[in-house]
Coordinates of all heavy atoms in Angstrom, one line a residue:
M1 N -6.8 -8.3 -5.0 CA -6.1 -7.3 -5.9 C -5.1 -6.5 -5.1 O -4.0 -6.3 -5.6 CB -7.2 -6.3 -6.4 CG -6.6 -5.2 -7.2 SD -7.6 -4.9 -8.6 CE -6.6 -4.0 -9.6
I2 N -5.4 -6.2 -3.8 CA -4.4 -5.4 -3.1 C -3.1 -6.3 -2.9 O -2.0 -5.7 -3.0 CB -5.0 -5.0 -1.7 CG1 -6.0 -3.8 -2.0 CG2 -3.9 -4.5 -0.7 CD1 -6.7 -3.3 -0.7
D3 N -3.3 -7.6 -2.6 CA -2.1 -8.4 -2.5 C -1.2 -8.4 -3.7 O 0.0 -8.3 -3.6 CB -2.6 -9.9 -2.2 CG -3.1 -10.1 -0.8 OD1 -2.8 -9.3 0.1 OD2 -3.8 -11.1 -0.6
F4 N -1.9 -8.4 -4.9 CA -1.1 -8.4 -6.1 C -0.4 -7.1 -6.3 O 0.8 -7.1 -6.7 CB -2.1 -8.6 -7.3 CG -1.4 -8.4 -8.7 CD1 -0.6 -9.4 -9.2 CD2 -1.6 -7.2 -9.4 CE1 0.0 -9.2 -10.4 CE2 -1.0 -7.0 -10.6 CZ -0.2 -8.0 -11.1
L5 N -1.0 -6.0 -5.9 CA -0.4 -4.6 -6.0 C 0.8 -4.5 -5.1 O 1.8 -4.0 -5.4 CB -1.4 -3.5 -5.8 CG -2.5 -3.5 -6.9 CD1 -3.6 -2.6 -6.5 CD2 -1.9 -3.1 -8.2
V6 N 0.6 -5.0 -3.9 CA 1.7 -5.0 -2.9 C 2.8 -5.9 -3.3 O 4.0 -5.5 -3.2 CB 1.1 -5.4 -1.5 CG1 2.3 -5.5 -0.5 CG2 0.1 -4.3 -1.0
E7 N 2.5 -7.0 -3.8 CA 3.6 -8.0 -4.3 C 4.4 -7.3 -5.4 O 5.6 -7.4 -5.4 CB 2.9 -9.3 -4.7 CG 3.9 -10.3 -5.2 CD 3.2 -11.6 -5.7 OE1 2.2 -12.0 -5.1 OE2 3.7 -12.2 -6.6
S8 N 3.7 -6.6 -6.3 CA 4.4 -5.9 -7.4 C 5.3 -4.9 -6.8 O 6.4 -4.7 -7.3 CB 3.3 -5.3 -8.3 OG 3.9 -4.5 -9.3
A9 N 4.9 -4.1 -5.8 CA 5.7 -3.1 -5.2 C 7.0 -3.7 -4.6 O 8.1 -3.2 -4.8 CB 5.0 -2.3 -4.2
F10 N 6.9 -4.9 -4.0 CA 8.0 -5.5 -3.4 C 8.9 -6.1 -4.5 O 10.2 -6.0 -4.3 CB 7.6 -6.7 -2.5 CG 7.3 -6.2 -1.1 CD1 6.0 -5.9 -0.7 CD2 8.3 -6.0 -0.2 CE1 5.8 -5.5 0.6 CE2 8.1 -5.6 1.1 CZ 6.8 -5.3 1.5
K11 N 8.4 -6.6 -5.6 CA 9.2 -7.1 -6.7 C 10.0 -6.0 -7.4 O 11.2 -6.2 -7.7 CB 8.4 -7.8 -7.7 CG 7.9 -9.2 -7.3 CD 7.1 -9.8 -8.4 CE 6.7 -11.2 -7.9 NZ 5.8 -11.9 -8.9
T12 N 9.4 -4.8 -7.5 CA 10.0 -3.7 -8.3 C 10.8 -2.8 -7.4 O 11.6 -2.0 -7.8 CB 9.0 -2.9 -9.1 OG1 8.1 -2.3 -8.2 CG2 8.3 -3.8 -10.1
G13 N 10.4 -2.8 -6.1 CA 11.1 -1.8 -5.1 C 10.4 -0.4 -5.2 O 11.0 0.5 -4.6
C14 N 9.3 -0.3 -5.9 CA 8.7 1.0 -6.1 C 7.1 0.8 -6.1 O 6.6 -0.1 -6.8 CB 9.1 1.6 -7.4 SG 8.4 3.1 -7.8
L15 N 6.5 1.7 -5.4 CA 5.0 1.7 -5.4 C 4.7 2.8 -6.5 O 4.9 4.0 -6.3 CB 4.4 2.1 -4.1 CG 2.9 2.3 -4.0 CD1 2.2 1.0 -4.3 CD2 2.5 2.8 -2.6
S16 N 4.2 2.3 -7.6 CA 3.8 3.2 -8.7 C 2.6 4.1 -8.4 O 1.8 3.7 -7.5 CB 3.6 2.4 -10.0 OG 2.4 1.7 -9.9
V17 N 2.5 5.2 -9.1 CA 1.4 6.1 -8.9 C 0.1 5.3 -9.3 O -0.9 5.4 -8.6 CB 1.5 7.3 -9.8 CG1 0.3 8.1 -9.8 CG2 2.7 8.1 -9.4
E18 N 0.2 4.5 -10.3 CA -1.0 3.7 -10.8 C -1.4 2.7 -9.7 O -2.6 2.6 -9.4 CB -0.7 3.0 -12.1 CG -0.5 3.9 -13.3 CD 0.9 4.4 -13.4 OE1 1.8 4.0 -12.6 OE2 1.2 5.3 -14.3
S19 N -0.4 2.0 -9.1 CA -0.8 1.0 -8.1 C -1.3 1.7 -6.9 O -2.3 1.2 -6.3 CB 0.5 0.2 -7.7 OG 0.9 -0.7 -8.8
E20 N -0.8 2.8 -6.5 CA -1.3 3.5 -5.3 C -2.7 3.9 -5.6 O -3.6 3.8 -4.7 CB -0.4 4.7 -5.0 CG -0.7 5.3 -3.7 CD 0.3 6.4 -3.4 OE1 1.5 6.3 -3.7 OE2 -0.1 7.3 -2.7
A21 N -3.0 4.4 -6.8 CA -4.4 4.8 -7.1 C -5.3 3.7 -7.1 O -6.5 3.8 -6.6 CB -4.4 5.5 -8.5
L22 N -4.9 2.5 -7.6 CA -5.8 1.3 -7.6 C -6.0 0.9 -6.1 O -7.1 0.4 -5.8 CB -5.1 0.2 -8.4 CG -5.2 0.3 -9.9 CD1 -4.4 -0.7 -10.6 CD2 -6.7 0.2 -10.3
I23 N -5.0 0.9 -5.3 CA -5.2 0.5 -3.9 C -6.2 1.4 -3.3 O -7.2 0.9 -2.6 CB -3.9 0.6 -3.1 CG1 -3.0 -0.6 -3.6 CG2 -4.1 0.5 -1.6 CD1 -1.5 -0.5 -3.0
R24 N -6.1 2.7 -3.5 CA -7.1 3.6 -2.9 C -8.5 3.4 -3.5 O -9.5 3.4 -2.7 CB -6.7 5.1 -3.2 CG -5.5 5.5 -2.5 CD -5.1 7.0 -2.9 NE -3.8 7.4 -2.4 CZ -3.6 7.8 -1.1 NH1 -4.6 7.9 -0.3 NH2 -2.4 8.2 -0.8
Q25 N -8.6 3.1 -4.7 CA -9.9 2.8 -5.4 C -10.5 1.5 -4.8 O -11.7 1.5 -4.5 CB -9.7 2.6 -6.9 CG -11.0 2.4 -7.6 CD -10.8 2.3 -9.1 OE1 -9.7 2.3 -9.6 NE2 -11.9 2.3 -9.8
V26 N -9.7 0.5 -4.6 CA -10.2 -0.8 -4.0 C -10.7 -0.5 -2.6 O -11.8 -1.0 -2.2 CB -9.2 -1.9 -4.1 CG1 -9.6 -3.1 -3.3 CG2 -8.9 -2.3 -5.5
L27 N -9.9 0.2 -1.8 CA -10.3 0.5 -0.5 C -11.6 1.3 -0.4 O -12.4 1.1 0.5 CB -9.2 1.2 0.3 CG -7.9 0.4 0.5 CD1 -6.8 1.3 1.1 CD2 -8.2 -0.8 1.4
A28 N -11.8 2.2 -1.3 CA -12.9 3.0 -1.3 C -14.2 2.3 -1.8 O -15.3 2.6 -1.3 CB -12.7 4.2 -2.2
T29 N -14.0 1.3 -2.6 CA -15.2 0.6 -3.2 C -15.6 -0.7 -2.5 O -16.7 -1.0 -2.4 CB -15.0 0.4 -4.7 OG1 -13.9 -0.5 -4.9 CG2 -14.9 1.6 -5.5
K30 N -14.5 -1.4 -2.0 CA -14.8 -2.7 -1.4 C -14.6 -2.8 0.1 O -14.9 -3.8 0.7 CB -13.9 -3.8 -2.1 CG -14.2 -4.0 -3.6 CD -13.3 -5.1 -4.1 CE -13.6 -5.3 -5.6 NZ -12.7 -6.4 -6.1
G31 N -13.9 -1.8 0.6 CA -13.6 -1.9 2.0 C -12.4 -2.8 2.2 O -11.8 -3.3 1.3
C32 N -12.0 -3.0 3.5 CA -10.8 -3.8 3.8 C -11.1 -5.1 4.4 O -12.0 -5.2 5.2 CB -9.9 -3.0 4.8 SG -9.1 -1.6 4.2
K33 N -10.4 -6.1 3.9 CA -10.4 -7.4 4.5 C -9.2 -7.5 5.4 O -8.2 -6.8 5.2 CB -10.4 -8.5 3.5 CG -11.6 -8.5 2.5 CD -11.5 -9.5 1.4 CE -12.6 -9.3 0.4 NZ -12.4 -10.1 -0.8
S34 N -9.2 -8.5 6.3 CA -8.0 -8.6 7.2 C -6.7 -8.9 6.4 O -5.7 -8.4 6.8 CB -8.2 -9.6 8.3 OG -8.5 -10.9 7.7
A35 N -6.8 -9.7 5.4 CA -5.6 -10.0 4.6 C -5.1 -8.7 3.9 O -3.9 -8.5 3.7 CB -6.0 -11.0 3.5
D36 N -6.1 -7.8 3.5 CA -5.7 -6.5 2.9 C -4.9 -5.7 3.9 O -3.9 -5.1 3.5 CB -6.9 -5.8 2.3 CG -7.6 -6.5 1.2 OD1 -6.9 -7.3 0.5 OD2 -8.8 -6.2 1.0
I37 N -5.4 -5.6 5.1 CA -4.8 -4.8 6.1 C -3.4 -5.3 6.4 O -2.4 -4.6 6.5 CB -5.6 -4.8 7.4 CG1 -7.0 -4.2 7.2 CG2 -4.9 -4.1 8.5 CD1 -6.9 -2.7 6.8
D38 N -3.2 -6.7 6.4 CA -1.9 -7.2 6.7 C -0.9 -6.9 5.5 O 0.2 -6.5 5.8 CB -2.0 -8.8 6.8 CG -2.7 -9.2 8.1 OD1 -2.8 -8.4 9.0 OD2 -3.2 -10.4 8.1
S39 N -1.4 -7.0 4.3 CA -0.6 -6.6 3.1 C -0.2 -5.2 3.2 O 0.9 -4.8 2.9 CB -1.3 -7.0 1.8 OG -1.4 -8.3 1.7
L40 N -1.2 -4.3 3.5 CA -0.9 -2.9 3.5 C 0.0 -2.5 4.6 O 0.8 -1.6 4.5 CB -2.2 -2.1 3.6 CG -3.1 -2.1 2.4 CD1 -4.5 -1.5 2.7 CD2 -2.4 -1.4 1.2
Q41 N 0.0 -3.2 5.8 CA 0.9 -3.0 6.9 C 2.3 -3.3 6.4 O 3.2 -2.5 6.7 CB 0.5 -3.8 8.1 CG 1.4 -3.5 9.3 CD 1.2 -2.1 9.8 OE1 0.1 -1.7 10.1 NE2 2.3 -1.3 9.9
K42 N 2.5 -4.4 5.7 CA 3.8 -4.7 5.2 C 4.4 -3.7 4.3 O 5.5 -3.3 4.3 CB 3.8 -6.1 4.6 CG 3.6 -7.2 5.6 CD 3.5 -8.6 4.8 CE 3.1 -9.7 5.8 NZ 2.8 -10.9 5.2
L43 N 3.5 -3.2 3.4 CA 3.8 -2.2 2.4 C 4.2 -0.9 3.2 O 5.2 -0.3 2.9 CB 2.7 -1.9 1.4 CG 2.9 -0.8 0.4 CD1 4.1 -1.1 -0.5 CD2 1.6 -0.7 -0.4
W44 N 3.4 -0.5 4.1 CA 3.6 0.7 4.9 C 5.0 0.7 5.6 O 5.7 1.6 5.6 CB 2.5 0.9 5.9 CG 2.6 2.1 6.8 CD1 2.8 2.0 8.2 CD2 2.4 3.4 6.5 NE1 2.9 3.3 8.7 CE2 2.6 4.2 7.7 CE3 2.1 4.1 5.3 CZ2 2.5 5.6 7.7 CZ3 2.0 5.5 5.3 CH2 2.2 6.2 6.5
D45 N 5.3 -0.5 6.2 CA 6.5 -0.7 6.9 C 7.7 -0.6 5.9 O 8.7 0.1 6.2 CB 6.6 -2.0 7.6 CG 5.6 -2.1 8.8 OD1 5.2 -1.0 9.3 OD2 5.3 -3.2 9.2
A46 N 7.6 -1.2 4.8 CA 8.6 -1.1 3.7 C 8.8 0.3 3.2 O 9.9 0.7 3.0 CB 8.3 -2.1 2.6
L47 N 7.7 1.0 3.1 CA 7.8 2.4 2.7 C 8.5 3.3 3.7 O 9.4 4.1 3.4 CB 6.5 3.0 2.3 CG 5.8 2.5 1.1 CD1 4.3 2.8 1.1 CD2 6.5 3.0 -0.2
N48 N 8.2 3.0 5.0 CA 8.8 3.8 6.1 C 10.3 3.5 6.3 O 11.0 4.4 6.7 CB 8.0 3.6 7.4 CG 6.7 4.4 7.4 OD1 6.7 5.5 6.8 ND2 5.8 3.9 8.1
T49 N 10.7 2.3 6.0 CA 12.1 1.9 6.2 C 12.9 2.2 4.9 O 14.1 2.0 4.9 CB 12.2 0.5 6.6 OG1 11.7 -0.4 5.6 CG2 11.6 0.2 7.9
G50 N 12.3 2.5 3.8 CA 13.0 2.8 2.6 C 13.3 1.6 1.7 O 14.0 1.7 0.7
C51 N 12.7 0.5 2.1 CA 12.9 -0.7 1.3 C 12.1 -0.6 0.0 O 12.5 -1.2 -1.0 CB 12.4 -2.0 2.0 SG 13.4 -2.4 3.5
I52 N 11.0 0.1 0.0 CA 10.3 0.4 -1.2 C 10.1 2.0 -1.3 O 9.9 2.6 -0.2 CB 8.9 -0.2 -1.2 CG1 9.0 -1.7 -1.2 CG2 8.0 0.3 -2.3 CD1 7.7 -2.5 -1.1
R53 N 10.2 2.5 -2.5 CA 10.0 4.0 -2.6 C 8.7 4.2 -3.3 O 8.2 3.4 -4.0 CB 11.2 4.6 -3.4 CG 11.3 4.2 -4.8 CD 12.4 4.9 -5.5 NE 12.5 4.5 -6.9 CZ 11.7 4.9 -7.9 NH1 10.8 5.8 -7.7 NH2 11.8 4.4 -9.1
R54 N 8.2 5.4 -3.1 CA 7.0 5.8 -3.8 C 7.3 6.6 -5.0 O 8.1 7.5 -5.0 CB 6.1 6.7 -2.9 CG 5.4 6.0 -1.8 CD 4.5 6.9 -1.0 NE 3.4 7.4 -1.8 CZ 3.1 8.7 -1.9 NH1 3.8 9.6 -1.2 NH2 2.0 9.0 -2.6
E55 N 6.7 6.3 -6.1 CA 6.9 7.0 -7.4 C 6.4 8.4 -7.2 O 7.0 9.4 -7.7 CB 6.2 6.3 -8.5 CG 6.5 6.8 -9.9 CD 5.8 6.0 -11.0 OE1 4.6 5.9 -10.9 OE2 6.5 5.6 -11.9
A56 N 5.3 8.6 -6.5 CA 4.7 9.9 -6.3 C 5.6 10.8 -5.5 O 5.5 12.0 -5.6 CB 3.3 9.8 -5.6
G57 N 6.4 10.3 -4.6 CA 7.4 11.1 -3.9 C 7.0 11.8 -2.6 O 7.7 11.8 -1.7
S58 N 5.8 12.3 -2.5 CA 5.4 13.0 -1.3 C 5.1 12.0 -0.2 O 4.9 10.9 -0.4 CB 4.2 14.0 -1.6 OG 3.1 13.2 -2.0
K59 N 5.0 12.6 1.0 CA 4.7 11.7 2.2 C 3.3 11.0 2.0 O 2.4 11.7 1.7 CB 4.8 12.5 3.4 CG 4.5 11.6 4.7 CD 4.9 12.4 5.9 CE 4.5 11.7 7.2 NZ 5.1 10.4 7.4
L60 N 3.3 9.8 2.3 CA 2.0 9.0 2.2 C 1.3 9.0 3.6 O 2.0 8.7 4.6 CB 2.4 7.6 1.8 CG 1.2 6.6 1.7 CD1 0.2 7.0 0.6 CD2 1.7 5.2 1.4
A61 N 0.1 9.3 3.6 CA -0.7 9.3 4.8 C -1.6 8.0 4.8 O -2.4 7.9 3.8 CB -1.5 10.5 5.0
M62 N -1.5 7.2 5.8 CA -2.3 6.0 5.9 C -2.8 5.9 7.3 O -2.4 5.1 8.1 CB -1.6 4.7 5.5 CG -1.2 4.7 4.0 SD -0.4 3.2 3.6 CE -1.8 2.3 3.0
P63 N -3.8 6.8 7.7 CA -4.3 6.8 9.1 C -4.8 5.5 9.6 O -4.6 5.2 10.8 CB -5.4 7.9 9.1 CG -5.4 8.5 7.7 CD -4.5 7.7 6.8
L64 N -5.3 4.7 8.7 CA -5.8 3.4 9.1 C -4.7 2.5 9.7 O -4.9 1.8 10.7 CB -6.5 2.7 7.9 CG -7.0 1.3 8.1 CD1 -8.2 1.3 9.1 CD2 -7.4 0.7 6.8
L65 N -3.5 2.6 9.1 CA -2.4 1.8 9.6 C -1.6 2.4 10.7 O -1.0 1.7 11.5 CB -1.5 1.4 8.4 CG -2.2 0.6 7.3 CD1 -1.2 0.4 6.1 CD2 -2.6 -0.7 7.8
E66 N -1.6 3.7 10.7 CA -0.9 4.4 11.8 C -1.4 4.2 13.2 O -0.7 4.3 14.1 CB -0.8 5.9 11.5 CG 0.0 6.2 10.2 CD -0.1 7.7 9.8 OE1 -1.0 8.4 10.2 OE2 0.8 8.1 9.0
R67 N -2.7 3.8 13.3 CA -3.3 3.6 14.6 C -3.0 2.2 15.1 O -3.3 1.9 16.3 CB -4.8 3.8 14.5 CG -5.2 5.2 14.2 CD -6.7 5.3 14.1 NE -7.0 6.5 13.3 CZ -8.1 6.6 12.7 NH1 -9.1 5.7 12.7 NH2 -8.3 7.7 12.0
R68 N -2.5 1.3 14.3 CA -2.2 -0.1 14.8 C -1.1 -0.2 15.7 O -0.2 0.5 15.8 CB -1.9 -1.0 13.6 CG -3.2 -1.1 12.7 CD -2.9 -2.1 11.6 NE -3.6 -3.3 12.0 CZ -3.3 -4.5 11.6 NH1 -2.4 -4.6 10.7 NH2 -4.0 -5.5 12.0

């Protein structure tokens, strides 16, 4: 599911509020698989470089990825 949400963000150039909430929900309920971490890292990098914007607007905190 996370792969699908990340792929959608890359296709549209925007991480929607709904997609972000679903990502958080999946992480909270299922935990992370290595493929999920890789997808989230790509998303994080794209957000930080401005390739993808956040619909929510405020700064996104992802401590799990910031430590890598």
Side-chain angles (χ1 to χ4, degrees):
M1 173 138 199
I2 288 178
D3 287 338
F4 174 78
L5 296 169
V6 170
E7 183 180 323
S8 175
F10 273 97
K11 283 182 181 177
T12 63
C14 178
L15 177 62
S16 70
V17 171
E18 293 85 4
S19 289
E20 191 171 329
L22 283 171
I23 288 171
R24 291 179 190 276
Q25 183 178 7
V26 169
L27 291 174
T29 59
K30 294 185 181 178
C32 288
K33 299 175 187 171
S34 61
D36 294 335
I37 297 295
D38 293 340
S39 292
L40 289 172
Q41 184 65 57
K42 290 176 187 171
L43 177 61
W44 179 251
D45 292 342
L47 289 165
N48 281 332
T49 60
C51 294
I52 295 177
R53 67 176 179 82
R54 284 182 70 230
E55 188 177 56
S58 63
K59 183 166 171 59
L60 177 64
M62 294 183 96
L64 178 66
L65 297 177
E66 290 172 344
R67 294 182 203 154
R68 293 183 103 201

